[in-house]
Amino acid sequence: MADFFLFQTELPPDVGFRLFGRFHLALLLLLGLLSCCTRYARAWSSSTQTAFSHTLTGIMALSELVRLSVLAVTGNLTVSVLPLHLCSLAVWLCVIYARCPIGWIGQTLYTLCLPGALSALLFPDWTFYPPWNYFCLHGFFIHAATVLWVLVQLQTGRIRPTWKAVYQPIAFLGALVPFLLWFNRKFHTNYLFVCNASPGSPLVLLGAFPLGYLCGYLLLLLCLILVMLSVWSLSHLRKKPRIP
């Protein structure tokens, strides 16, 4: 446990967990089981749904604040670990939406943050940490909590994806991506992975895109939004009762 709070630059080599190793697969299996259980949220009372929503988002916010505090205390709070990745932003979007359900936030959480968190869990970019390291456990917790929270909001109808609002997550990206492009180039960071792919993730395939990585990345995000809305539409089409 001596390396529990060690940051990535302080770790000895070759101590990280293995992608799709036992530890990783066990956590993915646990998330899958919990995700299946979210269907029972439909039976919760409105007060229980609200209590769950507020409690989990409160824990998520506290977890992020603790992470930043640990980084500050250990002298590792730098420009490269700010909460500017999509999944870090998703925490605060969840916190806001739980207390003030603004339409564009709900659409963004479903079309971008949910698949983003799932992708991070499948292809984590923190594999250099050992399993029982604080930053490793925090990474899995915060992404899994985002997935479960959004799924519960979908099950209870508190988030209702709609094609009429397809422009909202696109507008969110239109505001965020240019800023992060400027920020990344100025401070040599890679927030939202708009400059380079996360090693080991499917994004590395975009390096061969004819128009360049950035164009392929933006096209992928646009396709992701369309696919997520299509999945939602098809799932609800199947649930509609047939007219005899």
Side-chain angles (χ1 to χ4, degrees):
M1 296 296 288
D3 58 356
F4 186 71
F5 286 109
L6 290 184
F7 190 57
Q8 62 186 84
T9 55
E10 303 168 325
L11 290 168
D14 302 323
V15 296
F17 68 92
R18 189 163 61 90
L19 190 67
F20 299 118
R22 292 181 181 179
F23 172 75
H24 188 198
L25 289 176
L27 291 179
L28 291 178
L29 177 61
L30 177 60
L31 175 63
L33 293 173
L34 292 175
S35 297
C36 291
C37 292
T38 60
R39 69 178 63 184
Y40 298 109
R42 303 174 195 171
W44 296 350
S45 66
S46 179
S47 59
T48 300
Q49 293 172 10
T50 300
F52 170 85
S53 183
H54 286 193
T55 300
L56 184 54
T57 54
I59 294 172
M60 290 163 66
L62 180 61
S63 178
E64 272 293 280
L65 293 175
V66 169
R67 180 184 74 90
L68 294 172
S69 299
V70 170
L71 288 169
V73 169
T74 58
N76 291 304
L77 184 58
T78 65
V79 71
S80 63
V81 292
L82 299 176
L84 292 177
H85 273 300
L86 181 61
C87 292
S88 293
L89 295 173
V91 171
W92 303 107
L93 292 179
C94 290
V95 170
I96 295 170
Y97 194 84
R99 292 149 182 83
C100 184
I102 302 170
W104 71 265
I105 295 181
Q107 302 302 314
T108 300
L109 284 169
Y110 171 71
T111 56
L112 292 174
C113 298
L114 176 59
L118 283 170
S119 297
L121 288 165
L122 287 170
F123 305 100
D125 65 344
W126 58 90
T127 53
F128 39 76
Y129 286 113
W132 305 115
N133 175 277
Y134 168 77
F135 296 105
C136 175
L137 296 176
H138 174 272
F140 280 110
F141 167 74
I142 209 68
H143 291 93
T146 299
V147 170
L148 295 173
W149 187 88
V150 174
L151 288 179
V152 168
Q153 306 316 301
L154 292 169
Q155 293 286 357
T156 58
R158 296 194 173 198
I159 291 180
R160 295 182 179 273
T162 172
W163 282 100
K164 295 179 181 179
V166 65
Y167 68 92
Q168 292 178 346
I170 295 175
F172 173 77
L173 289 175
L176 182 63
V177 170
F179 166 73
L180 288 181
L181 271 173
W182 168 83
F183 190 94
N184 287 337
R185 288 168 179 170
K186 182 174 179 61
F187 296 103
H188 306 288
T189 53
N190 191 31
Y191 290 112
L192 216 67
F193 305 113
V194 296
C195 296
N196 297 290
S198 173
S201 76
L203 290 177
V204 297
L205 299 175
L206 296 178
F209 191 72
L211 298 178
Y213 174 82
L214 180 58
C215 288
Y217 176 85
L218 294 175
L219 182 60
L220 176 65
L221 290 180
L222 178 59
C223 291
L224 178 63
I225 293 172
L226 300 180
V227 167
M228 291 297 291
L229 288 173
S230 297
V231 169
W232 179 260
S233 298
L234 289 173
S235 66
H236 276 65
L237 186 63
R238 293 176 58 186
K239 293 178 182 178
K240 288 184 178 180
R242 295 181 178 180
I243 300 175

